[in-house]
PDB file of all heavy atoms in Angstrom:
ATOM      1  N   THR M  43      57.776 130.993 127.693  1.00  0.00           N
ATOM      2  CA  THR M  43      56.379 131.028 127.268  1.00  0.00           C
ATOM      3  C   THR M  43      55.510 130.353 128.321  1.00  0.00           C
ATOM      4  O   THR M  43      55.998 129.497 129.081  1.00  0.00           O
ATOM      5  CB  THR M  43      56.192 130.301 125.926  1.00  0.00           C
ATOM      6  OG1 THR M  43      56.479 128.900 126.122  1.00  0.00           O
ATOM      7  CG2 THR M  43      57.067 130.892 124.840  1.00  0.00           C
ATOM      8  N   PRO M  44      54.233 130.698 128.363  1.00  0.00           N
ATOM      9  CA  PRO M  44      53.347 130.016 129.307  1.00  0.00           C
ATOM     10  C   PRO M  44      53.314 128.493 129.084  1.00  0.00           C
ATOM     11  O   PRO M  44      53.276 127.736 130.045  1.00  0.00           O
ATOM     12  CB  PRO M  44      51.981 130.651 129.032  1.00  0.00           C
ATOM     13  CG  PRO M  44      52.315 132.023 128.541  1.00  0.00           C
ATOM     14  CD  PRO M  44      53.553 131.828 127.704  1.00  0.00           C
ATOM     15  N   ALA M  45      53.365 128.051 127.835  1.00  0.00           N
ATOM     16  CA  ALA M  45      53.341 126.607 127.547  1.00  0.00           C
ATOM     17  C   ALA M  45      54.586 125.913 128.088  1.00  0.00           C
ATOM     18  O   ALA M  45      54.497 124.826 128.681  1.00  0.00           O
ATOM     19  CB  ALA M  45      53.211 126.371 126.049  1.00  0.00           C
ATOM     20  N   HIS M  46      55.754 126.514 127.897  1.00  0.00           N
ATOM     21  CA  HIS M  46      56.979 125.918 128.428  1.00  0.00           C
ATOM     22  C   HIS M  46      56.969 125.908 129.953  1.00  0.00           C
ATOM     23  O   HIS M  46      57.429 124.946 130.582  1.00  0.00           O
ATOM     24  CB  HIS M  46      58.216 126.663 127.923  1.00  0.00           C
ATOM     25  CG  HIS M  46      58.582 126.322 126.526  1.00  0.00           C
ATOM     26  ND1 HIS M  46      58.704 127.265 125.538  1.00  0.00           N
ATOM     27  CD2 HIS M  46      58.845 125.124 125.937  1.00  0.00           C
ATOM     28  CE1 HIS M  46      59.027 126.665 124.416  1.00  0.00           C
ATOM     29  NE2 HIS M  46      59.110 125.368 124.626  1.00  0.00           N
ATOM     30  N   PHE M  47      56.467 126.965 130.560  1.00  0.00           N
ATOM     31  CA  PHE M  47      56.413 127.016 132.013  1.00  0.00           C
ATOM     32  C   PHE M  47      55.447 125.968 132.552  1.00  0.00           C
ATOM     33  O   PHE M  47      55.743 125.297 133.545  1.00  0.00           O
ATOM     34  CB  PHE M  47      56.032 128.413 132.493  1.00  0.00           C
ATOM     35  CG  PHE M  47      56.104 128.560 133.988  1.00  0.00           C
ATOM     36  CD1 PHE M  47      57.315 128.458 134.643  1.00  0.00           C
ATOM     37  CD2 PHE M  47      54.973 128.790 134.737  1.00  0.00           C
ATOM     38  CE1 PHE M  47      57.399 128.577 136.031  1.00  0.00           C
ATOM     39  CE2 PHE M  47      55.048 128.917 136.114  1.00  0.00           C
ATOM     40  CZ  PHE M  47      56.260 128.809 136.764  1.00  0.00           C
ATOM     41  N   ALA M  48      54.314 125.797 131.894  1.00  0.00           N
ATOM     42  CA  ALA M  48      53.348 124.775 132.314  1.00  0.00           C
ATOM     43  C   ALA M  48      53.963 123.383 132.217  1.00  0.00           C
ATOM     44  O   ALA M  48      53.775 122.546 133.112  1.00  0.00           O
ATOM     45  CB  ALA M  48      52.084 124.863 131.469  1.00  0.00           C
ATOM     46  N   ALA M  49      54.720 123.126 131.145  1.00  0.00           N
ATOM     47  CA  ALA M  49      55.383 121.829 130.993  1.00  0.00           C
ATOM     48  C   ALA M  49      56.419 121.616 132.096  1.00  0.00           C
ATOM     49  O   ALA M  49      56.549 120.507 132.633  1.00  0.00           O
ATOM     50  CB  ALA M  49      56.033 121.734 129.614  1.00  0.00           C
ATOM     51  N   PHE M  50      57.152 122.664 132.449  1.00  0.00           N
ATOM     52  CA  PHE M  50      58.120 122.581 133.540  1.00  0.00           C
ATOM     53  C   PHE M  50      57.426 122.242 134.857  1.00  0.00           C
ATOM     54  O   PHE M  50      57.879 121.382 135.612  1.00  0.00           O
ATOM     55  CB  PHE M  50      58.901 123.893 133.666  1.00  0.00           C
ATOM     56  CG  PHE M  50      59.695 123.989 134.926  1.00  0.00           C
ATOM     57  CD1 PHE M  50      60.890 123.294 135.064  1.00  0.00           C
ATOM     58  CD2 PHE M  50      59.250 124.755 135.987  1.00  0.00           C
ATOM     59  CE1 PHE M  50      61.626 123.364 136.247  1.00  0.00           C
ATOM     60  CE2 PHE M  50      59.976 124.839 137.163  1.00  0.00           C
ATOM     61  CZ  PHE M  50      61.165 124.133 137.292  1.00  0.00           C
ATOM     62  N   LEU M  51      56.317 122.925 135.148  1.00  0.00           N
ATOM     63  CA  LEU M  51      55.598 122.665 136.395  1.00  0.00           C
ATOM     64  C   LEU M  51      55.079 121.232 136.441  1.00  0.00           C
ATOM     65  O   LEU M  51      55.169 120.565 137.483  1.00  0.00           O
ATOM     66  CB  LEU M  51      54.440 123.648 136.560  1.00  0.00           C
ATOM     67  CG  LEU M  51      54.821 125.088 136.877  1.00  0.00           C
ATOM     68  CD1 LEU M  51      53.566 125.953 136.971  1.00  0.00           C
ATOM     69  CD2 LEU M  51      55.629 125.180 138.143  1.00  0.00           C
ATOM     70  N   GLN M  52      54.546 120.745 135.324  1.00  0.00           N
ATOM     71  CA  GLN M  52      54.058 119.361 135.286  1.00  0.00           C
ATOM     72  C   GLN M  52      55.195 118.383 135.541  1.00  0.00           C
ATOM     73  O   GLN M  52      55.040 117.408 136.275  1.00  0.00           O
ATOM     74  CB  GLN M  52      53.409 119.064 133.936  1.00  0.00           C
ATOM     75  CG  GLN M  52      52.048 119.701 133.774  1.00  0.00           C
ATOM     76  CD  GLN M  52      51.431 119.373 132.429  1.00  0.00           C
ATOM     77  OE1 GLN M  52      52.107 119.381 131.402  1.00  0.00           O
ATOM     78  NE2 GLN M  52      50.139 119.099 132.438  1.00  0.00           N
ATOM     79  N   ALA M  53      56.350 118.627 134.936  1.00  0.00           N
ATOM     80  CA  ALA M  53      57.506 117.749 135.123  1.00  0.00           C
ATOM     81  C   ALA M  53      57.977 117.780 136.578  1.00  0.00           C
ATOM     82  O   ALA M  53      58.299 116.738 137.156  1.00  0.00           O
ATOM     83  CB  ALA M  53      58.638 118.158 134.182  1.00  0.00           C
ATOM     84  N   ALA M  54      58.001 118.967 137.181  1.00  0.00           N
ATOM     85  CA  ALA M  54      58.420 119.085 138.583  1.00  0.00           C
ATOM     86  C   ALA M  54      57.452 118.341 139.506  1.00  0.00           C
ATOM     87  O   ALA M  54      57.874 117.614 140.415  1.00  0.00           O
ATOM     88  CB  ALA M  54      58.526 120.549 138.983  1.00  0.00           C
ATOM     89  N   LYS M  55      56.156 118.489 139.252  1.00  0.00           N
ATOM     90  CA  LYS M  55      55.157 117.795 140.068  1.00  0.00           C
ATOM     91  C   LYS M  55      55.247 116.289 139.904  1.00  0.00           C
ATOM     92  O   LYS M  55      54.960 115.538 140.835  1.00  0.00           O
ATOM     93  CB  LYS M  55      53.754 118.282 139.712  1.00  0.00           C
ATOM     94  CG  LYS M  55      53.457 119.679 140.196  1.00  0.00           C
ATOM     95  CD  LYS M  55      52.062 120.105 139.782  1.00  0.00           C
ATOM     96  CE  LYS M  55      51.768 121.528 140.229  1.00  0.00           C
ATOM     97  NZ  LYS M  55      50.404 121.950 139.831  1.00  0.00           N
ATOM     98  N   ALA M  56      55.664 115.837 138.726  1.00  0.00           N
ATOM     99  CA  ALA M  56      55.776 114.394 138.451  1.00  0.00           C
ATOM    100  C   ALA M  56      57.082 113.822 138.996  1.00  0.00           C
ATOM    101  O   ALA M  56      57.324 112.620 138.891  1.00  0.00           O
ATOM    102  CB  ALA M  56      55.681 114.145 136.949  1.00  0.00           C
TER     103      ALA M  56
END
Side-chain angles (χ1 to χ4, degrees):
T43 66
H46 282 124
F47 186 65
F50 168 77
L51 289 178
Q52 286 181 318
K55 288 179 182 180

